[in-house]
């Protein structure tokens, strides 16, 4: 399967923004890779600031009455369908309504549902209509579902697909996941450091199919951490389960349970293979000085000799940056670490989409580090 058949998360966003008001884009992607996150990304985009933005609709939960209900107008002697509020439609908010505002509607798991439910949502996806209610001008509708090759029950008849723009979204690479999600959201620094050192955990099973970059290799032996539709797996690593692992690590740091419970909880979330890697990073994390010590005395706080422990400090510092004083203290401390770790810090700060990273541009020491590391940084 050629990688060129897949779009990135950002490319899918651009496509929906460009044509979603005219045509419905159906996004197909591997399970647990952030398809549902697309709705949150779109909702936060300034492009949609004036839109009505209902929560994403899980199509597997739909049944009769979930989208509209019949209403009888006895005075006029007619009946009509009234849309459910999750559609963002009403007498006032419809095309030509008194307070018309476009709506952003996302249908999740759209190819897993029974045919009668597909028939119910078809007018919305094709015509932007529920009964006699037409969506306001500019409204955007999109759909999400899994790749058919995953064998999770996703199917769509040819004549229905023919009326949609169907694209496949690839899994984020480790670097994309770190810069665009893990750092901005504030995931656990030990987890981020582990993914940094083991980027294969965000490879995809499609890479092992004919035409993929690992075609011909045995995925079960080469990368047991990720989803494999050819194997029976109790758990595996994906962007979704990595997020859950971060929650587990945060709870462990608060003393909620012991290390045995931690290891079993991680294994049941991201699978034994990646859980084992994480546990080794947790042990290195024991060498990391307290964050308060780094902030209070960045020039003299103890520096661990282990590179992994230093990487954990980098991601913790980035995640904890709230003020310019924080940025200055962390920069002062990280300037004392190994050059490779300084380079990692510079890359993650300059590439991250987190708004707090802008604080570092006001720190003179940060500019000096960029200059001092420019050759290594470009490598």
């Amino acid at each position: 399967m050629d990688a060129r058949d897949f779009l990135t998360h950002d490319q899918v966003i651009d496509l929906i923004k460009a044509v979603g008001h005219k045509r419905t884009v159906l996004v197909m992607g591997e399970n647990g890779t952030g398809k549902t996150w697309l709705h949150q990304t779109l909702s936060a985009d300034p492009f949609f600031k004036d839109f009505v933005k209902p929560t994403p609709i899980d199509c597997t939960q739909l049944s009769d009455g979930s989208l509209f209900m019949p209403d009888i107008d006895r005075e006029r002697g007619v009946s009509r369908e009234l849309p459910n509020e999750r559609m963002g439609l009403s007498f006032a908010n419809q095309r030509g309504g008194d307070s018309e505002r476009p709506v952003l509607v996302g249908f999740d798991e759209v190819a897993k549902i029974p045919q009668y439910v597909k028939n119910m949502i078809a007018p919305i996806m094709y015509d932007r209509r529920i009964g006699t209610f037409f969506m306001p001008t500019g409204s955007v509708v999109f759909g999400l579902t899994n790749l058919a090759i995953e064998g999770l029950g996703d199917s769509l008849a040819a004549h229905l697909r023919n009326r949609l723009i169907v694209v496949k979204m690839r899994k984020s690479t480790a670097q994309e996941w770190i810069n665009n999600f893990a750092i901005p959201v504030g995931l656990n620094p030990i987890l981020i450091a582990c993914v940094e050192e083991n980027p294969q955990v965000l490879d995809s099973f499609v890479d092992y199919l004919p035409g993929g970059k690992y075609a011909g290799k045995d995925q079960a032996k080469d990368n047991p951490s990720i989803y494999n539709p050819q194997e029976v797996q109790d758990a595996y690593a994906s962007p979704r389960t990595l997020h859950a692992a971060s929650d587990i690590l945060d709870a462990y740091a608060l003393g909620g349970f012991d290390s045995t419970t931690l290891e079993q909880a991680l294994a049941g979330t991201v699978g034994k293979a990646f859980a084992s890697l994480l546990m080794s990073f947790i042990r290195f994390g024991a060498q990391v000085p307290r964050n308060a010590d780094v902030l209070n005395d960045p020039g003299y706080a103890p520096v661990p000799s282990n590179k992994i422990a230093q990487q954990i400090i980098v991601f913790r510092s980035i995640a904890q940056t709230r003020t310019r004083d924080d940025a200055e203290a962390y920069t002062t401390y990280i300037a004392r670490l190994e050059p490779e770790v300084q380079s990692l810090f510079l890359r993650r700060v300059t590439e991250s989409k987190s708004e707090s990273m802008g604080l570092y541009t006001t720190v003179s020491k940060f500019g000096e580090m960029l200059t001092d590391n420019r050759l290594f940084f470009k490598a």
Side-chain angles (χ1 to χ4, degrees):
M1 185 173 290
D2 197 318
R4 290 173 295 182
D5 294 338
F6 289 78
L7 298 179
T8 67
H9 181 277
D10 288 347
Q11 287 172 323
V12 169
I13 292 291
D14 290 341
L15 178 64
I16 293 173
K17 287 166 62 177
V19 304
H21 63 294
K22 290 185 176 181
R23 300 287 177 179
T24 296
V25 177
L26 175 61
V27 183
M28 306 179 74
E30 185 179 337
N31 75 89
T33 57
K35 293 186 300 298
T36 305
W37 184 255
L38 280 170
H39 191 282
Q40 293 175 268
T41 305
L42 288 165
S43 295
D45 194 300
F47 182 87
F48 295 100
K49 67 182 178 64
D50 295 324
F51 278 57
V52 176
K53 292 171 278 195
T55 56
I57 298 167
D58 183 348
C59 292
T60 62
Q61 304 298 313
L62 297 180
S63 61
D64 294 342
S66 296
L67 296 177
F68 53 81
M69 289 287 287
D71 177 53
I72 299 175
D73 186 337
R74 297 187 182 279
E75 183 176 338
R76 295 180 58 198
V78 297
S79 65
R80 64 174 65 86
E81 292 84 17
L82 292 182
N84 188 288
E85 66 177 355
R86 73 180 74 190
M87 292 291 100
L89 295 180
S90 64
F91 283 125
N93 196 44
Q94 60 177 309
R95 191 177 302 173
D98 295 335
S99 55
E100 178 180 350
R101 289 175 59 199
V103 297
L104 174 67
V105 177
F107 287 104
D108 203 0
E109 307 289 12
V110 72
K112 288 186 174 68
I113 53 179
Q115 187 59 47
Y116 83 93
V117 181
K118 292 176 183 174
N119 294 340
M120 289 168 56
I121 66 174
I124 306 170
M125 299 188 76
Y126 303 150
D127 303 323
R128 306 293 188 266
R129 174 181 61 82
I130 296 180
T132 59
F133 288 75
F134 282 85
M135 290 184 171
T137 303
S139 293
V140 172
V141 178
F142 65 96
L144 308 167
T145 203
N146 288 103
L147 297 169
I149 197 172
E150 292 181 86
L152 300 176
D154 294 79
S155 65
L156 208 61
H159 72 286
L160 298 178
R161 290 174 61 101
N162 193 246
R163 300 182 69 176
L164 305 170
I165 298 174
V166 183
V167 296
K168 294 188 282 290
M169 184 178 77
R170 70 165 171 78
K171 200 174 185 178
S172 295
T173 65
Q175 303 311 310
E176 290 169 343
W177 179 81
I178 290 171
N179 291 336
N180 303 338
F181 182 77
I183 289 176
V185 171
L187 297 193
N188 187 278
I190 294 176
L191 172 69
I192 300 176
C194 190
V195 172
E196 175 77 31
E197 282 293 299
N198 299 278
Q200 73 278 2
V201 75
L202 283 170
D203 284 342
S204 169
F205 77 90
V206 300
D207 295 327
Y208 291 84
L209 299 177
K213 61 182 178 180
Y214 302 133
K217 291 188 176 182
D218 185 343
Q219 182 190 338
K221 294 180 179 178
D222 192 49
N223 194 345
S225 295
I226 63 175
Y227 175 62
N228 187 342
Q230 305 302 319
E231 298 283 327
V232 177
Q233 297 169 290
D234 292 329
Y236 47 87
S238 70
R240 178 166 54 207
T241 59
L242 290 176
H243 196 172
S246 175
D247 292 340
I248 294 170
L249 290 173
D250 288 345
Y252 174 72
L254 295 174
F257 40 81
D258 60 25
S259 60
T260 301
T261 303
L262 170 66
E263 186 167 9
Q264 292 306 307
L266 290 173
T269 303
V270 295
K272 290 184 177 180
F274 191 63
S276 177
L277 290 173
L278 266 176
M279 290 302 296
S280 66
F281 272 68
I282 291 165
R283 287 188 283 273
F284 288 124
Q287 302 177 28
V288 173
R290 294 189 316 141
N291 189 54
D293 293 338
V294 172
L295 287 174
N296 292 333
D297 199 359
Y300 295 94
V303 172
S305 59
N306 184 275
K307 188 180 79 169
I308 290 176
Q310 292 188 13
Q311 289 178 340
I312 293 171
I313 293 171
V314 164
F315 291 115
R316 184 185 68 183
S317 299
I318 291 173
Q320 294 293 328
T321 301
R322 299 289 184 271
T323 67
R324 186 190 179 283
D325 287 344
D326 292 344
E328 187 164 16
Y330 290 136
T331 302
T332 299
Y333 181 85
I334 290 170
R336 300 167 55 206
L337 306 183
E338 294 291 330
E340 295 89 344
V341 179
Q342 291 183 40
S343 178
L344 170 66
F345 170 67
L346 294 170
R347 287 181 186 277
R348 292 296 159 252
V349 169
T350 56
E351 295 174 2
S352 173
K353 291 186 176 181
S354 175
E355 293 182 4
S356 63
M357 295 304 97
L359 295 168
Y360 284 93
T361 62
T362 67
V363 177
S364 59
K365 185 69 174 178
F366 184 80
E368 294 171 10
M369 283 181 67
L370 281 172
T371 301
D372 294 342
N373 288 271
R374 63 186 182 279
L375 295 178
F376 192 85
F377 187 63
K378 292 178 180 178

